[in-house]
Structure formats: C-alpha cells, structure tokens
C-alpha cells in the first residue's frame, strides 16, 4: 500500500490523461461491437480499475482494444443471429461468454502459463493484427457514409420472403417443442401463421438485412448500395474527424488528437443543430450488474462457445503481455506475466457482469500514462474512476455524439493497428517454399493465410489454423537442419577450446556470447535478455553464431532490436561463424551491412582474435 501512494501527483495526472484518451475509443469500440457505447464505457471502467489493482504491470492501462473488439463483434453477431435478432434475449449468453473468457484468463495466470504466450509466432500475430485493421476499416465504411442496411427499405424489402420462411420455421420449432404434430393439426399452424403481423415480418427482414451486410465481406457487398445512398453530412463529419486526428498530431502531441476531434466535430454538429445521427443513449446513474447471466445460465447454451471464450482469453493475454513489454522498456521495470493475466481476467469478469465488452492492456493509453507521470497501479485505477465520473456527470452529453464521428475515430484505429513492419518485409523474406509454379516465403504464406481467413471467414479459427501451419513448417525446417548436423550436442555456457588464448587484460572490455540452436519465435524472449547479461564495462561483443543454424522472422527482428540497443550504447558487435541462412535473412533487411559491416564478420575465432588484438588491445596500449 505504501508503494501505491508513492507517486500520487504523477499517477493522478497520468491516470486522468489516460482516462480522457480512453473515452472516445471506449465509446467507439462499444458501438463497433454491436452492444452500443455503454458496453464500451462499462468495459473501460471496470477493466481499467480491476486489471490495475490485481495485475502485474504497474503502469498498464487496460480497456477495450481493437483486436478484442473485433473478435467480440463476431461473437456478438453470431449469438444475436441464433436468437432471432433479439439483443435482449441474446445478451445474457453474450455476457456469459465474456465472463467465461475472463475466468479462463485467471486460470491461465494461476496455472503459470503466462510465460508460454511468447510461443505465438510473429507471422500469425502479424496476419491477425493486419486483419483486425482491415475488418475495422471495411465495417466502418458504411456508417461513415451514413448508410445503415436495416434502414434501407428497398434493401430490406428483398428479404421479406426469407423473413417469412424464418418465422414459419420458428413456428414449427415451437410446435415441435410443445409436442404438436403439424400434419395432424395443420390448422394450429395456420392459425399461428395468420397471427404474424407485417410489423413482425419487417423486423425479421431488417435483422436479415443487417446480418447480410455485417462483417468485412458483408460490408464489401453493401458498399455499392451505400455509394448510391450517401448521407453527405455523415460523410463530412467522419472525414472531418479523420482530418483532425491526423492533422492535430502535427501541431502537438501533448493533447490527444482523438479527443480533440471528438470535441470539435461533436461541438460543430450539436452547436449548429445539424440533422446528424447520434449514438445510442448512454444511461445515467451507476452501472447495474446483469443478474440474468446467473439466473438464466444453462450449460447447453454456453457449450458451443467454449472455444470462442478460450480464444478471447488467449488473445487478451497476448495483447496485454505485449503491452506489458512496451511498459517495461519505457520504465526499465519487469512485469509479472502470470499476475498480469490474473488481473486482466478479474477485470474482464467483473466488466462482463456489468454488461461491458472485454478488453486488454492498451498500448497507446499505457504510453500516455507513463509519459504523463504514471508509475504505480494507482494510475490505472484513477483512469477507471475518471471514466466513471464522466459517465455519471456527462452521460446525457455523451449520448449526443454523432455516430459518424466515432466511425471516423475507428477508421484511424484500423489504419494504425495494422502491422506495417511485417507487410514491408514481404518482398525481402527468402522464398523457401514452392506452391505449384510459385515460390514464396513460408512466413509470408502463414501471414497471408491468417490475414485472409481472419478477414473473410473467422477470426477465431484463423489463428488456430495459422498456429498449426507455423508449427508444422517449423518442425520440418528444424528436422531438416537437425538431420544435416545430427552430430552436434548442446554445450554448457562456458569458454570454448579455441578461446583459451584470449588476452586476460581484455576480458572486462570484450564480452563473448555463444548462440546455440535456432533463433526462432520460441527463443526470442531469452535472446532479448542478452543485452542485460553484458557487463557495463564491455565495449565489444563477440557473437559466436556457428551453432545457430536457423533464424525465422521473429528471431530476425529480435536480433535487429538487440543490435540497435547495443549501437545506442556505443558497443561494437562482431560475428563469428555466421551460417548461410541467418546471414541471408539479415542481409535482406540490411542488418548486414548497416549494423554489422562485412569486415566485422569472421569465419573463425582465430581471425576475430587477431582483429581484437590489433584494434582493441592496441587501443589500450
């Protein structure tokens, strides 16, 4: 408790600033999810407070994020569809899935599985993150144009025959449940059918129209209709929001451009009394728990979504722990991964009970907190309290925010969340597999498979398929390499035989590190700790790479990051025994010669030792 209040002023400023930054994103993610802005705001309040209180990263700010919202959107749409488009009927099931995901995260932390999250390969993460960006962009095109399929009467009219079929099927299902045999009592079926009003058919048609235009593929199909029915006011509000978000960053980054865009564009729309479309009403008063989660719980209704809940739990874990690493790098601290998962799980579980959408550690909000002075868990708790105060005091005002403004905010989120680093590397990566007449990189293939499947089919299954393919390809590569070098045994970390003549007077200034085995997505975490092993007195580092047979894209970027850190500290790096495949990878993104010139790459340790004696020893003499 003493540490919690050791930086009250900085934590207060960091938490308040992060809470303000989180407001527009929470509202936007709530709208995007399909449960409305209130669900986004409730998620941000409870996850931010409880994940900070119980988590293992002191400066982390948590709440709804783009990846978690994208998966939640799919879950919500699917459950609503299976409940005949009735949101109130589907809500307890939706929130139970979110609650289950939170409890699974707690379980992952209790079982100590946080350290294994790093085994997700980079191409899978890259493809998934880019897909999230594409999905957000495509799904926000329609609201930014002011087009809502269920309000397009001509489009809705085309679904009336299908709506009548759905209603008739529901009648037959009800009768079957009541034990009525249709062929024996067909009059009962006709009587029930005659009671169906045109209004009920219209509502079902609207549900089917909205479902047809949902998701990335549905949005693409609906774009031609949207372009024929553009609401120019909504489009101008969305474009104005995007322009301010990107333009204001050029003026100053001290004030969040997203918040400026929200206030300015909403102020213009409200101040000039423009006929815009507002977001759904945000209820005033304290959040109330949704007890239907417990009173209407049935195992049969949840069983189909257990894998989905697990996917949400794993995605939230990955998202949060990646943000924790960013926070560690900025604050020079070390997070506790398992405790962080427990905190995130508690936050998501409580948010679900109160009707909030799930979330994770949010990188931008965490960075804002740290740069604004936040240092302890108190900052994340204050961010949640700040959002609660905004809800209680400004709920009616927030309800007047234009829907197009939130669509514009989400478009910038979609653009920002895509993995441009991975996309830029596509032409440079080695083409190591052949599919028919086409040669391409296995890493690129995995990324594209995950990207396409996530965007146009199913986010949940795409990640699983990507992991399976990545694992199979990795096993094949390692099997091939092991067969080539089957006589090599693992060595303990001690001086090799040819290092016996190394000058004793240089051991403080020259650090020798042996890399044994492949540098791949499963070993990058340990490799990243290499810079911490180097003594502060060392001015030269020798990396002996003769036993590092293979390097994948994750390992490549880990090597690049380490060399950047060493270069900043004016530490010279020498390579000894660099093998063909790792060298080819490093040459493709210019690690060689930008960080490691060719004259610093030696075939043998004896040649490297000669260079050391000439350049380092002579310098000391």
């Amino acid at each position: 408790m003493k540490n919690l209040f050791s930086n009250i002023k900085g934590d207060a400023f960091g938490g308040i600033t992060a809470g303000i930054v989180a407001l527009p994103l929470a509202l936007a993610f709530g709208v995007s999810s399909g449960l409305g802005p209130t669900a986004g705001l409730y998620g941000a309040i409870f996850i931010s407070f409880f994940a900070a209180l119980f988590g293992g990263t002191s400066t982390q700010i948590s709440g709804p994020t783009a990846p978690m919202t994208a998966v939640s959107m799919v879950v919500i749409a699917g459950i609503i569809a299976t409940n005949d488009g009735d949101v109130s009927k589907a809500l307890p099931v939706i929130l139970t899935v979110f609650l289950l995901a939170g409890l699974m995260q707690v379980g992952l932390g209790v079982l100590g599985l946080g350290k294994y999250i790093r085994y997700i390969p980079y191409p899978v993460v890259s493809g998934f993150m880019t897909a999230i960006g594409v999905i957000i962009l495509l799904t926000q095109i329609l609201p930014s144009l002011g087009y809502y399929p269920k309000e397009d009467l001509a489009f809705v009219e085309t679904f009336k025959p299908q709506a009548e079929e759905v209603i008739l099927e529901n009648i037959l299902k009800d009768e079957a449940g009541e034990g009525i045999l249709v062929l024996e009592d067909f009059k009962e079926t006709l009587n029930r059918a005659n009671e169906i009003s045109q209004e009920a058919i219209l509502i079902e048609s609207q549900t089917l129209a909205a479902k047809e235009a949902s998701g990335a593929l549905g949005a693409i199909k609906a774009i031609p209709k949207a372009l024929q029915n553009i609401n120019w006011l909504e489009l101008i509000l969305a474009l104005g929001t995007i322009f301010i978000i990107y333009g204001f960053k050029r003026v100053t980054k001290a004030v969040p451009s997203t918040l400026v865009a929200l206030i300015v564009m909403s102020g213009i729309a409200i101040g000039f009394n423009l006929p815009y479309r507002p977001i759904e009403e945000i209820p005033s008063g304290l959040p109330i728990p949704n007890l239907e989660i417990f009173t209407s719980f049935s195992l049969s209704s949840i069983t189909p979504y257990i894998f989905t809940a697990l996917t949400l739990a794993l995605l939230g874990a990955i998202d949060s722990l990646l943000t924790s690493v960013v926070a560690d790098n900025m604050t020079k601290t070390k997070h506790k991964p398992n405790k962080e998962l427990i905190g995130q799980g508690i936050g998501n579980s409580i948010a679900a009970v109160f009707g909030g959408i799930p979330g994770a550690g949010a990188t931008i909000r965490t960075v804002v907190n740290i740069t604004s002075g936040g240092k302890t868990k108190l900052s994340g708790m204050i961010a949640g309290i700040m959002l609660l105060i905004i809800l209680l005091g400004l709920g009616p005002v927030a309800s007047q925010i234009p829907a197009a403004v939130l669509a514009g905010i989400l478009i910038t989120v979609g653009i920002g969340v895509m993995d441009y680093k991975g996309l830029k590397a596509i032409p440079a990566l080695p083409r190591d597999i052949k599919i028919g007449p086409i040669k391409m990189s296995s890493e690129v293939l995995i990324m594209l498979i995950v990207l396409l499947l996530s965007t146009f089919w199913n986010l949940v299954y795409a990640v699983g398929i990507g992991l399976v393919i990545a694992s199979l390809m990795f096993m094949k590569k390692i099997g091939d390499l092991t067969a080539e070098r089957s006589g090599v045994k693992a060595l303990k970390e001690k001086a090799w035989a040819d290092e016996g003549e190394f000058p004793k007077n240089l051991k403080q200034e020259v650090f020798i590190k042996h890399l044994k085995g492949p540098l791949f997505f499963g070993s990058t975490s340990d490799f990243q700790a290499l810079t911490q092993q180097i003594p502060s007195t060392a001015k030269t580092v020798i990396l002996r790479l003769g036993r590092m047979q293979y390097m994948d894209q994750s390992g490549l970027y880990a090597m690049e990051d380490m060399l950047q850190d060493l270069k900043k500290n004016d530490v010279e790096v020498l390579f000894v025994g660099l093998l063909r495949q790792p060298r080819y990878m490093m040459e493709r993104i210019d690690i060689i010669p930008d960080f490691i010139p060719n004259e610093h790459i030696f075939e043998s340790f004896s040649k490297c030792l000669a260079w050391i004696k000439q350049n380092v020893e002579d310098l000391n003499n």
Side-chain angles (χ1 to χ4, degrees):
M1 193 63 69
K2 182 181 178 181
N3 291 334
L4 188 64
F5 297 103
S6 61
N7 184 46
I8 294 179
K9 184 178 178 181
D11 288 337
F13 190 68
I16 290 170
T17 307
I20 292 172
V21 172
L23 174 64
L25 294 173
L27 296 172
F29 286 138
V31 172
S32 177
S33 73
L35 289 185
T38 305
L41 198 52
Y42 284 0
I45 290 168
F46 290 106
I47 299 170
S48 179
F49 185 89
F50 289 103
L53 178 61
F54 296 106
T57 311
S58 297
T59 54
Q60 181 133 284
I61 304 294
S62 302
T65 62
M68 292 294 281
T69 303
V71 176
S72 300
M73 179 173 59
V74 175
V75 175
I76 292 164
I79 296 176
I80 289 175
T82 57
N83 285 272
D84 306 321
D86 189 339
V87 178
S88 59
K89 183 180 175 183
L91 187 59
V93 181
I94 293 168
L95 297 181
T96 304
V97 173
F98 293 163
L99 173 61
L100 185 60
L103 295 175
M104 285 180 174
Q105 279 186 320
V106 174
L108 291 173
V110 171
L111 294 173
L113 300 179
K115 60 184 178 182
Y116 294 106
I117 299 297
R118 69 176 186 268
Y119 288 101
I120 306 295
Y122 184 87
V124 174
V125 176
S126 176
F128 181 80
M129 294 305 294
T130 302
I132 294 298
V134 173
I135 290 169
I136 291 174
L137 283 174
L138 290 175
T139 54
Q140 294 309 307
I141 289 175
L142 301 185
S144 67
L145 294 173
Y147 179 76
Y148 295 86
K150 65 190 302 181
E151 297 176 7
D152 183 350
L153 295 180
F155 182 56
V156 170
E157 191 73 23
T158 62
F159 290 92
K160 278 196 173 182
Q162 187 180 344
E164 292 175 356
E165 288 181 19
V166 171
I167 292 172
L168 180 58
E169 285 177 8
N170 291 335
I171 291 174
L172 296 175
K173 286 178 182 177
D174 290 342
E175 289 182 348
E178 296 169 15
I180 298 174
L181 298 176
V182 177
L183 295 179
E184 293 182 7
D185 194 4
F186 196 62
K187 288 183 179 180
E188 176 64 23
T189 305
L190 290 175
N191 289 335
R192 295 190 183 191
N194 288 329
E195 292 175 3
I196 303 301
S197 64
Q198 288 299 312
E199 183 182 357
I201 295 173
L202 176 62
I203 292 172
E204 186 62 43
S205 300
Q206 289 176 325
T207 301
L208 293 171
K211 183 180 177 182
E212 179 68 18
S214 65
L217 196 57
I220 292 173
K221 291 178 182 178
I223 285 174
K225 290 185 178 295
L227 293 174
Q228 294 171 6
N229 298 275
I230 296 176
N231 183 318
W232 292 103
L233 173 59
E234 300 289 310
L235 178 59
I236 290 169
L237 288 172
L239 291 177
T241 302
I242 295 169
F243 177 78
I244 292 174
I245 287 173
Y246 288 122
F248 195 79
K249 286 179 181 178
R250 296 178 178 272
V251 178
T252 178
K253 292 185 178 180
V255 181
S257 61
T258 304
L259 183 66
V260 173
L262 178 72
I263 293 172
V264 171
M265 296 309 297
S266 299
I268 291 172
I270 297 169
F272 287 94
N273 199 26
L274 299 177
Y276 67 90
R277 180 191 183 97
I279 62 174
E280 297 175 24
E281 184 179 354
I282 298 174
S284 57
L286 291 168
I288 300 172
N290 190 321
L291 299 179
E292 283 188 68
I293 295 177
F294 308 105
T295 58
S296 63
F297 174 81
S298 68
L299 191 61
S300 60
S301 64
I302 296 301
T303 302
Y305 304 106
I306 289 177
F307 181 70
T308 302
L310 178 61
T311 303
L312 268 172
L314 291 173
L315 175 60
I318 295 166
D319 207 0
S320 299
L321 295 181
L322 286 175
T323 303
S324 296
V325 172
V326 173
D328 286 349
N329 290 336
M330 292 184 68
T331 59
K332 306 302 178 187
T333 56
K334 185 68 176 174
H335 73 280
K336 298 175 181 177
N338 294 319
K339 190 176 180 182
E340 182 60 35
L341 292 188
I342 293 172
Q344 292 292 334
I346 292 172
N348 278 314
S349 299
I350 295 174
V353 172
F354 283 88
I357 60 174
T363 305
I364 294 175
R365 280 159 268 178
T366 299
V367 170
V368 167
N369 176 43
I370 294 170
T371 54
S372 300
K375 290 183 179 179
T376 76
K377 294 181 176 186
L378 186 63
S379 58
M381 296 162 66
I382 289 174
I385 294 170
M386 179 67 189
L387 288 169
L388 180 61
I389 293 171
I390 292 173
L391 170 68
L392 296 176
L394 301 176
V397 176
S399 297
Q400 300 302 311
I401 294 171
V405 170
L406 294 188
I409 290 172
L410 282 169
I411 286 172
T412 63
V413 171
I415 293 171
V417 79
M418 288 191 277
D419 180 37
Y420 296 102
K421 186 176 183 179
L423 292 172
K424 287 177 182 177
I426 289 176
L429 293 173
R431 301 180 180 184
D432 53 354
I433 60 170
K434 191 173 183 179
I435 302 175
I438 302 172
K439 288 190 71 176
M440 66 185 306
S441 165
S442 57
E443 311 250 349
V444 173
L445 177 64
I446 294 167
M447 189 203 71
L448 291 177
I449 287 173
V450 175
L451 169 59
L452 294 173
L453 292 181
S454 297
T455 303
F456 299 110
W457 181 47
N458 189 296
L459 281 161
V460 175
Y461 297 138
V463 173
I465 291 171
L467 285 172
V468 170
I469 295 173
S471 300
L472 291 173
M473 287 186 172
F474 174 73
M475 286 189 286
K476 182 183 182 302
K477 287 176 183 176
I478 295 304
D480 293 343
L481 290 167
T482 304
E484 290 177 14
R485 300 175 63 91
S486 58
V488 177
K489 305 277 185 179
L491 297 176
K492 293 182 180 179
E493 189 64 24
K494 60 182 181 180
W496 289 355
D498 56 356
E499 296 170 9
E501 298 180 7
F502 194 86
K504 292 182 180 179
N505 62 314
L506 295 180
K507 287 187 176 180
Q508 293 296 319
E509 293 188 38
V510 181
F511 179 77
I512 302 173
K513 178 66 180 176
H514 310 132
L515 296 185
K516 296 160 286 187
L519 182 58
F520 69 108
F521 59 83
S523 61
T524 52
S525 180
D526 292 334
F527 179 76
Q528 286 165 347
L530 174 60
T531 51
Q532 298 176 7
Q533 301 174 18
I534 300 172
S536 58
T537 56
K539 297 301 178 184
T540 304
V541 172
I542 300 174
L543 292 182
R544 302 205 61 178
L545 308 175
R547 300 178 190 271
M548 188 185 77
Q549 310 97 326
Y550 173 76
M551 169 187 283
D552 72 354
Q553 195 175 0
S554 302
L556 181 65
Y557 290 137
M559 175 69 78
E560 183 185 36
D561 291 341
M562 185 209 71
L563 293 174
Q564 282 180 332
D565 289 340
L566 292 176
K567 189 173 183 179
K568 286 178 185 176
N569 295 325
D570 296 322
V571 177
E572 200 81 41
V573 179
L574 309 176
F575 282 177
V576 177
L578 180 62
L579 299 177
R580 182 176 59 185
Q581 192 273 344
R583 178 167 189 148
Y584 181 77
M585 292 287 285
M586 286 189 269
E587 285 176 343
R588 299 309 292 171
I589 66 167
D590 295 325
I591 287 179
I592 301 172
D594 288 357
F595 288 108
I596 308 294
N598 285 299
E599 56 266 30
H600 285 182
I601 302 173
F602 304 94
E603 294 180 3
S604 66
F605 186 75
S606 59
K607 292 182 179 179
C608 176
L609 184 57
W611 188 93
I612 289 287
K613 289 180 177 179
Q614 182 179 347
N615 292 273
V616 179
E617 194 171 49
D618 289 354
L619 195 65
N620 289 339
N621 296 332

